[in-house]
Amino acid sequence: MSTTTRRKRRGDTPPPSTGSGETEILRGFLDYLRAAIAAKVEGAPEPQVRTAAVPSGTNLLGLLQHLTFVERSMFLGDNIIDWQATFQAAPADSVADVVARYRDAVERANEILDGCTDLGAPVPRRRPGRPAPSLRWALTHMIEETGRHAGHADILRELIDGTTGR
């Protein structure tokens, strides 16, 4: 993209102001990143939103699809057999479908998290036979995972239509 091309700028939202407690800070940053990546995917044009922009095959819609599965696995106990497959949305899925599924997974995960008061306690999951990580570990991992893919999404969206900002 040439430097003379006019870029679409989205308002750049600063990091969240949260409470002073560890739980409020971790959840505040996770929700901030969740909103950022959903906004980055929302409104992205077809077919570019699902077109790989790098040799690995990574595409914008697939990133959000993957994060939906990560949320469901971490907080809702879903057992994912093929993680690589989670990076591809079905051809019939629209951007709105994938964004809605992601927001639903986040809402359901937050319902679980709302009942958790001890960061050292295991995440309440339904997967028998597998130890659950502590809530602190799970929140930290989800911040890392969501932040990493939000950074990928920033680059992919800018390549698609020049949109920048959070």
Side-chain angles (χ1 to χ4, degrees):
M1 178 178 288
S2 76
T3 56
T4 59
T5 301
R6 193 165 181 94
R7 297 178 189 270
K8 299 174 194 171
R9 284 204 59 78
R10 193 182 307 259
D12 204 23
T13 307
S17 296
T18 62
S20 60
E22 185 179 7
T23 301
E24 293 85 13
I25 291 169
L26 292 172
R27 290 202 51 195
F29 271 87
L30 178 56
D31 283 339
Y32 168 71
L33 291 168
R34 287 164 161 172
I37 193 161
K40 191 60 70 169
V41 175
E42 200 165 47
E46 290 279 3
Q48 297 92 332
V49 71
R50 63 181 75 240
T51 302
V54 293
S56 68
T58 303
N59 65 78
L60 190 57
L61 196 59
L63 287 174
L64 196 62
Q65 173 83 0
H66 170 70
L67 284 172
T68 302
F69 281 94
V70 177
E71 290 276 350
R72 293 187 58 81
S73 174
M74 184 61 60
F75 298 120
L76 305 176
D78 286 8
N79 187 26
I80 309 304
I81 304 298
D82 182 358
W83 279 105
Q84 196 57 40
T86 68
F87 281 95
Q88 294 299 319
D93 287 340
S94 69
V95 172
D97 293 336
V98 175
V99 171
R101 275 198 305 272
Y102 178 70
R103 288 194 170 131
D104 179 66
V106 165
E107 183 178 327
R108 292 186 59 212
N110 279 339
E111 289 171 3
I112 299 293
L113 292 172
D114 289 344
C116 299
T117 57
D118 178 4
L119 289 174
V123 174
R125 305 197 296 188
R126 302 179 306 257
R127 286 176 32 194
R130 295 195 59 189
S134 72
L135 181 59
R136 181 180 288 106
W137 186 93
L139 287 169
T140 303
H141 171 66
M142 288 304 301
I143 290 167
E144 176 272 329
E145 181 84 3
T146 307
R148 179 176 187 227
H149 292 312
H152 297 146
D154 286 340
I155 294 165
L156 293 172
R157 183 64 189 260
E158 187 172 356
L159 288 170
I160 289 171
D161 64 5
T163 299
T164 61
R166 284 178 275 219

